[in-house]
Amino acid sequence: MKDHPRIVFMGTPEFAVPSLERLVDAGYPVVGVITATDKLGGRGGKQLLESPVKQAAIRLGIPVLQPRNLKSPEFQGELRALSADLQIVVAFRMLPEAVWNMPPLGTFNLHGSLLPKYRGAAPINWAVIRGEEETGATTFFIRHEIDTGDVLLQCRIPIGENDTAGDVHDRMMVEGADLVLQTVQLIEGGDYKLRQQDDALATSAPKLNREMARIDFDQPVGEVHNFIRGLSPWPAAWTTLEDKQLKLIRTRVEKGDHDLAPGTIRTDDKSYLRVAAPGGFLVVEELQLAGRRRMHTEEFLRGTELPVDTHLGQ
């Protein structure tokens, strides 16, 4: 019986952990894990924090490498010594060709979209922001240009009308782990066909930042809702309430005609908070005022008094 391929796994955040665990559970020899260096954080910023993938690797008894520079001869020598047949990347960083071209069976990546749609750093977020009803995950062989390699497998994942990016992320984390295992089995069998991506169909999913997360209530109510849920839980879409930043975490849409200025609040001060936008209202279900924790609307209203005709964003 032929031995399974020796695998080196590269990843950092929680999203990558189920993929690593799935490979180990299926009996594949993961001979090394490459992950980010430990970072200072926690209370006071003085605690050394290990990545979720490093924590999982230690628990599973897998050797860990944490290179600062992927181009360094020292790291590449350590990587070569692991004698991997195949490398797998799940939420890591760009690799130099000397690294992704090292193993005989190649290096494949798990990406959080149905490539070539949403190439880039934040594919789940942008699919939700754009109001897509479906996204998915793709495995592809890495090459020079980011997210452009030949496709191995894909799976489709529905997006509900009130799903946040976080909701989709959590489902894809599990579905993606299954796809990684299926891809390894496909490569191991050797009987597969690659599909080239059509660059003409490509869309961009650039990195998110807090500056781009300000809410514009002049946009149609459905687009504002998609923007809010696409940025939830991070970096979180925000506006201002009087002079404080207010993050909206979960909303739903109530369509209907009204003559209120965009951003106008309507509330009974007990159970509901609606914000006017063209074409209807955003019903706010979860939010966070600067200096306070995230909370549901009912709890927020118990401790906050909102004058009549309060406007957000002014």
Side-chain angles (χ1 to χ4, degrees):
M1 181 178 168
K2 185 182 175 184
D3 290 338
H4 287 314
R6 291 168 60 86
I7 292 170
V8 162
F9 186 88
M10 303 183 182
T12 294
E14 181 188 7
F15 183 83
V17 171
S19 293
L20 175 60
E21 292 174 335
R22 196 87 169 81
L23 291 167
V24 173
D25 289 345
Y28 282 90
V30 181
V31 296
V33 161
I34 317 300
T35 191
T37 56
D38 298 344
K39 300 285 193 296
L40 287 173
R43 184 170 294 180
K46 296 180 180 179
Q47 187 179 349
L48 206 56
L49 303 178
E50 298 173 332
S51 78
V53 165
K54 179 182 177 180
Q55 293 173 19
I58 291 171
R59 173 167 46 81
L60 295 167
I62 303 169
V64 177
L65 296 178
Q66 296 176 273
R68 293 188 182 279
N69 181 2
L70 297 176
K71 294 181 178 180
S72 80
E74 181 184 6
F75 162 66
Q76 291 185 14
E78 291 175 317
L79 182 61
R80 196 171 288 105
L82 293 173
S83 301
D85 301 303
L86 176 68
Q87 291 177 161
I88 300 171
V89 178
V90 182
F92 193 48
R93 60 194 212 245
M94 284 189 68
L95 304 180
E97 182 175 0
V99 171
W100 59 255
N101 210 16
M102 191 177 292
L105 294 179
T107 300
F108 78 81
N109 183 72
L110 174 71
H111 183 77
S113 79
L114 295 171
L115 288 171
K117 290 188 82 171
Y118 300 108
R119 291 174 176 170
I124 297 174
N125 303 87
W126 285 103
V128 178
I129 290 169
R130 298 286 183 240
E132 301 280 3
E133 296 179 357
E134 181 183 66
T135 185
T138 302
T139 52
F140 67 94
F141 278 122
I142 289 178
R143 68 181 189 190
H144 284 290
E145 297 81 7
I146 190 166
D147 298 335
T148 61
D150 292 341
V151 170
L152 285 149
L153 290 176
Q154 291 186 318
C155 67
R156 296 179 178 275
I157 298 171
I159 303 176
E161 64 181 359
N162 294 319
D163 279 343
T164 65
D167 297 330
V168 179
H169 167 281
D170 291 351
R171 288 203 296 274
M172 192 181 293
M173 185 165 64
V174 177
E175 299 269 355
D178 289 339
L179 196 69
V180 164
L181 178 60
Q182 291 166 24
T183 303
V184 172
Q185 291 167 339
L186 193 72
I187 293 170
E188 185 178 25
D191 183 21
Y192 60 88
K193 290 184 179 179
L194 296 173
R195 179 171 59 81
Q196 281 192 329
Q197 294 187 43
D198 184 349
D199 291 342
L201 300 177
T203 58
S204 179
K207 189 175 181 179
L208 301 173
N209 59 62
R210 297 180 194 279
E211 289 69 37
M212 59 82 68
R214 184 164 189 157
I215 302 166
D216 179 3
F217 291 107
D218 288 323
Q219 299 299 309
V221 66
E223 292 183 18
V224 180
H225 172 61
N226 292 342
F227 183 75
I228 290 167
R229 64 196 183 97
L231 296 176
S232 177
W234 190 92
W238 63 274
T239 183
T240 52
L241 175 60
E242 295 176 339
D243 60 346
K244 290 187 176 180
Q245 186 182 80
L246 178 70
K247 295 178 179 178
L248 302 187
I249 311 301
R250 280 190 186 271
T251 57
R252 57 184 172 84
V253 170
E254 244 181 38
K255 291 188 176 178
D257 297 330
H258 61 78
D259 56 3
L260 297 172
T264 303
I265 286 178
R266 285 291 179 261
T267 179
D268 64 354
D269 293 318
K270 293 178 182 178
S271 61
Y272 71 83
L273 193 160
R274 298 184 178 95
V275 186
F281 290 89
L282 292 154
V283 181
V284 180
E285 297 182 341
E286 191 176 347
L287 67 172
Q288 182 179 19
L289 192 62
R292 295 162 71 177
R293 59 181 174 80
R294 293 185 177 186
M295 57 185 73
H296 293 288
T297 295
E298 294 87 345
E299 185 182 2
F300 173 79
L301 291 173
R302 282 200 294 271
T304 307
E305 190 172 332
L306 296 172
V308 176
D309 284 336
T310 296
H311 278 64
L312 295 181
Q314 292 188 346

